[in-house]
Amino acid sequence: SPVNRSSVPLVMVGRDLRVPRFTRGVGPLVKLIGPDVGRSITDLRSNLNTPDLRSWLSEAIGRARQLQREVQSTTGVWYSLRILPFSDPDGTVNGAVIILIDIDVIKRARDYAAALVETVRQPLVVLTADFRVRSANRAYYAACHNSTAETENRPFFELGEGTWDVPELRHLLTEVLPKAQPFDGLTLELPSRTGGSRTWLINGRRIIEPDGSEPLILLTMEDVTDPIR
């Protein structure tokens, strides 16, 4: 049967983007009924804001690579749209499976958390497990005189021409995730990009993304430089 009774929203498309199979769970999101089998998915009426769906599918099928995008329905609900190419035994990619996962609660929690972080007056930096900068707040950029381009997705120890590459800090950071070992009150005197030096009080601890997908490191930094010096 071209229609599967599963409640998981899933649509299969061929290389020509025509739909041979779909699950009932996709009904509220893409207007698919039995007679729609054989039609191009881009011709079907959708309750999702996905104007780039054709190019996403072409990229996934043409390059044989999985894609993931966050998309929103016309009613405001967020979904993770995942495109998974499938192939014949000889390796020829013949199409893709589109899966939709409701991430509305996670998305709103993430956005809420990000908004809270921006209200904190202390500089904050979030690092991935390999010590790349996932994000930083406005207070960090103001205090350290770095731009977003110089910071996000960059190795933390390369920021500011290696300002933070200090053996003691590097050692403590390597233990935050594998040993679940937070640290507090590390005091470092470091050169400033505007001249002279600054004294920083640094704390680090493990945090988890709302969906539990990736452990991260949160660094808080407080400038405790003696203003009389």
Side-chain angles (χ1 to χ4, degrees):
S1 168
V3 182
N4 186 290
R5 295 185 179 275
S6 170
S7 61
V8 176
L10 182 153
V11 183
M12 180 182 292
V13 298
R15 290 190 67 90
D16 58 2
L17 305 188
R18 296 182 183 276
V19 177
R21 295 179 66 88
F22 61 92
T23 64
R24 291 192 183 277
V26 81
L29 303 172
V30 180
K31 299 302 182 182
L32 269 168
I33 58 176
D36 289 321
V37 169
R39 294 179 62 190
S40 171
I41 191 169
T42 57
D43 293 338
L44 301 174
R45 189 159 60 90
S46 172
N47 290 332
L48 295 171
N49 294 319
T50 54
D52 298 321
L53 181 59
R54 179 183 290 275
S55 63
W56 295 345
L57 286 167
S58 297
E59 180 179 355
I61 295 171
R63 299 186 180 183
R65 55 175 292 191
Q66 297 183 18
L67 289 183
Q68 187 272 330
R69 299 288 188 272
E70 291 184 357
V71 299
Q72 197 170 22
S73 72
T74 53
T75 59
V77 178
W78 283 96
Y79 292 87
S80 173
L81 186 151
R82 302 180 184 183
I83 302 174
L84 312 176
F86 61 83
S87 58
D88 281 343
D90 65 0
T92 302
V93 177
N94 280 331
V97 175
I98 305 168
I99 301 174
L100 289 159
I101 300 172
D102 187 334
I103 60 166
D104 197 63
V105 172
I106 293 169
K107 172 73 173 176
R108 296 188 189 283
R110 187 188 302 147
D111 290 347
Y112 179 66
L116 285 178
V117 164
E118 286 299 342
T119 69
V120 176
R121 298 178 66 180
Q122 272 186 313
L124 301 178
V125 178
V126 177
L127 305 179
T128 61
D130 60 353
F131 310 121
R132 287 185 173 271
V133 178
R134 166 67 67 82
S135 61
N137 67 353
R138 281 193 292 264
Y140 168 82
Y141 291 118
C144 297
H145 306 283
N146 288 344
S147 68
T148 303
E150 292 174 316
T151 305
E152 290 191 357
N153 300 315
R154 294 284 306 280
F156 176 67
F157 296 116
E158 293 181 7
L159 300 186
E161 299 179 352
T163 296
W164 303 102
D165 193 4
V166 178
E168 188 175 4
L169 177 56
R170 184 183 279 271
H171 171 71
L172 290 171
L173 284 175
T174 59
E175 298 193 331
V176 169
L177 294 183
K179 296 185 179 180
Q181 183 66 54
F183 63 89
D184 295 294
L186 173 64
T187 303
L188 295 175
E189 185 173 348
L190 303 173
S192 170
R193 294 188 75 174
T194 57
S197 63
R198 312 294 294 176
T199 302
W200 296 94
L201 188 66
I202 304 174
N203 304 317
R205 55 201 4 89
R206 183 177 185 263
I207 59 173
I208 301 292
E209 287 213 289
D211 61 357
S213 62
E214 181 180 7
L216 301 167
I217 300 170
L218 173 66
L219 287 183
T220 65
M221 306 168 175
E222 183 179 357
D223 187 344
V224 293
T225 306
D226 184 346
I228 301 176
R229 288 194 316 168

